[in-house]
C-alpha cells in the first residue's frame, strides 16, 4: 500500500452562478501522505474551503487530476462517493453543524446509521462501543444524554470531532475548527486533533490563524485560487504544552 493518500495536480473549480463565472480554485497541486497533519492557509476568498470541498468530494472539480488512495477520484460514481464521504472521511465545520434537538449520543451515532440503513448493520454492541470510544476520546462521555443545544461552543466542537471519528475515517477535514471558540477551547480542540494525528489519522485543516496553523506539521498557502507554497512547520506548537503554560 502506497503511503500517498492524496495526489492532485492543477485542480480547478469554477462556479457558474447567475451568468457569473468565479474561478474559486485555479491551480492546486500537492501530495498528502497517510498520517500527515496539514494546514491550509490564505486570505478570505482565496479558495481554502473550495479546495477542501473538492478534496473531500463535496464539490466536483472542473479541471485537473485527483487521485485518492491510489484511485482516479474523477471516475468515482455517486454510490462510491456517498460511501467515501460517510465512511472514509470525517468532517468538522466552524459552525459545528450538530442537530441541536438531539442528544450528544444521537449526534455522534448519526454516521453509523448510514450503514444501518444500507447494509443492515445492527445497532448492537460494536455500534455502542464505537460511539462510546469516540466520546471518550474527546473527553465527553459524561455528556452523552445532554441535548446538543445545552453544550458550550468548545463541547459542541468536541462532539463534532467525535461524530467525525465514529467511522474510523482515513482522513479528517476540518474547516476553521477553532473559528468560533475562545483560545482555551481552541487549544483543547488542537490537542485532540494532535492526539488523533499521533494515532495515525490524516488531518487537513483550514485556518486563517497562523498560530493555529502551526499545530500541523505542514502548511499549504493559497492566494487567489493558486496553491503557491507548501512548507514544513519548523516551529511547531504542541497544544498540550501550551495548555500547561496557561
Ligand atoms: N458555491 C459557490 N458558488 C459561487 N461562488 C462560490 C461558491 N463557493 C465559493 N465561491 C466563491 O469562490 C471564492 C472562494 O471561496 P472560498 O469559500 O473557497 O474561500 P475561503 O478561502 O474559504 O474564504 P474564507 O476564509 O472567507 O472562508 C469566493 O470568491 C467565493 O465567493
Ligand atoms: Mg472558507
Amino acid at each position: 500500500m502506497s503511503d500517498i493518500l492524496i495526489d492532485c495536480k492543477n485542480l480547478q473549480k469554477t462556479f457558474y452562478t447567475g451568468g457569473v463565472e468565479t474561478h474559486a480554485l485555479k491551480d492546486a497541486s500537492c501530495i498528502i501522505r497517510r498520517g500527515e497533519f496539514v494546514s491550509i492557509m490564505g486570505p478570505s476568498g482565496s479558495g481554502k474551503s473550495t479546495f477542501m470541498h473538492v478534496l473531500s468530494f463535496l464539490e466536483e472539480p472542473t479541471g485537473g487530476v485527483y487521485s485518492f488512495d491510489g484511485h482516479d477520484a474523477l471516475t468515482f460514481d455517486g454510490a462510491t462517493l456517498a460511501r467515501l464521504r460517510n465512511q472514509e472521511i470525517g468532517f468538522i465545520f466552524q459552525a459545528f453543524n450538530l442537530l441541536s434537538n438531539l442528544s450528544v449520543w444521537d449526534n455522534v451515532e448519526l454516521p453509523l446509521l448510514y450503514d444501518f440503513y444500507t447494509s443492515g448493520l445492527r445497532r448492537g454492541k460494536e455500534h455502542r462501543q464505537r460511539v462510546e470510544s469516540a466520546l471518550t476520546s474527546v473527553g465527553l462521555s459524561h455528556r452523552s444524554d445532554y441535548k446538543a443545544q445545552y453544550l458550550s461552543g468548545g463541547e459542541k466542537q468536541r462532539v463534532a470531532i467525535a461524530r467525525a471519528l465514529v467511522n474510523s475515517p482515513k482522513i479528517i477535514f476540518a474547516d476553521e475548527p477553532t473559528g468560533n471558540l475562545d483560545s482555551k477551547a481552541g487549544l483543547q480542540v488542537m490537542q485532540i486533533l494532535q492526539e488523533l494525528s499521533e494515532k495515525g489519522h490524516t488531518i487537513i485543516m483550514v485556518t486563517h490563524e497562523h498560530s493555529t496553523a502551526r499545530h500541523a506539521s505542514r502548511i499549504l498557502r493559497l492566494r487567489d485560487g493558486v496553491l503557491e507554497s507548501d512548507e514544513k512547520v519548523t516551529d511547531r506548537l504542541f497544544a498540550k504544552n501550551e495548555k500547561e503554560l496557561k
Side-chain angles (χ1 to χ4, degrees):
M1 186 169 70
S2 157
D3 69 340
I4 295 178
L5 188 55
I6 282 177
D7 185 353
C8 63
K9 287 192 190 69
N10 309 115
L11 268 190
Q12 293 159 22
K13 176 72 187 177
T14 302
F15 292 105
Y16 301 92
T17 321
V20 180
E21 275 188 20
T22 307
H23 300 283
L25 196 62
K26 294 176 191 156
D27 182 9
S29 306
C30 69
I31 285 179
I32 295 175
R33 293 173 198 280
R34 285 173 215 283
E36 276 199 278
F37 185 172
V38 178
S39 289
I40 301 175
M41 294 198 73
S44 181
S46 58
K48 304 182 294 297
S49 295
T50 305
F51 184 36
M52 180 171 266
H53 294 162
V54 169
L55 292 181
S56 59
F57 311 113
L58 293 175
E59 299 273 11
E60 212 178 320
T62 43
V65 181
Y66 180 19
S67 157
F68 180 82
D69 206 7
H71 302 282
D72 178 358
L74 306 185
T75 63
F76 292 155
D77 61 18
T80 306
L81 291 172
R83 190 189 58 76
L84 281 171
R85 283 191 288 254
N86 179 259
Q87 295 176 359
E88 309 219 356
I89 292 175
F91 296 98
I92 303 167
F93 303 94
Q94 176 174 357
F96 321 131
N97 294 8
L98 299 179
L99 296 177
S100 58
N101 257 324
L102 294 187
S103 69
V104 164
W105 179 281
D106 290 345
N107 270 282
V108 175
E109 187 189 29
L110 275 177
L112 295 178
L113 299 181
Y114 175 88
D115 286 346
F116 176 65
Y117 291 116
T118 56
S119 63
L121 175 95
R122 292 182 41 231
R123 291 165 97 170
K125 197 169 159 210
E126 194 218 318
H127 182 128
R128 275 200 309 280
Q129 279 170 349
R130 286 214 229 168
V131 178
E132 262 160 29
S133 116
L135 278 172
T136 305
S137 67
V138 299
L140 279 179
S141 9
H142 62 296
R143 288 280 188 266
S144 284
D145 298 330
Y146 264 56
K147 267 194 183 183
Q149 62 188 335
Y150 299 130
L151 301 176
S152 72
E155 287 173 332
K156 283 182 184 152
Q157 196 56 302
R158 282 150 61 203
V159 173
I161 296 175
R163 181 185 56 188
L165 280 178
V166 77
N167 266 330
S168 308
K170 284 204 172 88
I171 182 160
I172 295 171
F173 288 94
D175 196 348
E176 302 266 8
T178 61
N180 280 332
L181 303 180
D182 65 24
S183 68
K184 188 164 164 245
L187 274 183
Q188 210 164 9
V189 165
M190 281 303 110
Q191 184 179 343
I192 293 168
L193 293 183
Q194 287 186 319
E195 284 165 3
L196 294 174
S197 164
E198 276 162 26
K199 286 187 193 149
H201 287 273
T202 309
I203 301 175
I204 303 187
M205 171 178 77
V206 165
T207 177
H208 62 268
E209 294 162 351
H210 190 62
S211 58
T212 304
R214 281 167 57 209
H215 290 85
S217 53
R218 196 172 143 201
I219 300 181
L220 308 180
R221 280 177 220 277
L222 280 164
R223 179 170 297 277
D224 277 338
V226 178
L227 203 167
E228 56 174 29
S229 80
D230 179 348
E231 286 165 13
K232 195 172 175 333
V233 177
T234 50
D235 50 354
R236 193 168 181 200
L237 293 172
F238 290 92
K240 192 164 171 273
N241 306 340
E242 291 167 86
K243 272 173 70 194
E244 280 162 10
L245 290 176
K246 291 227 161 208

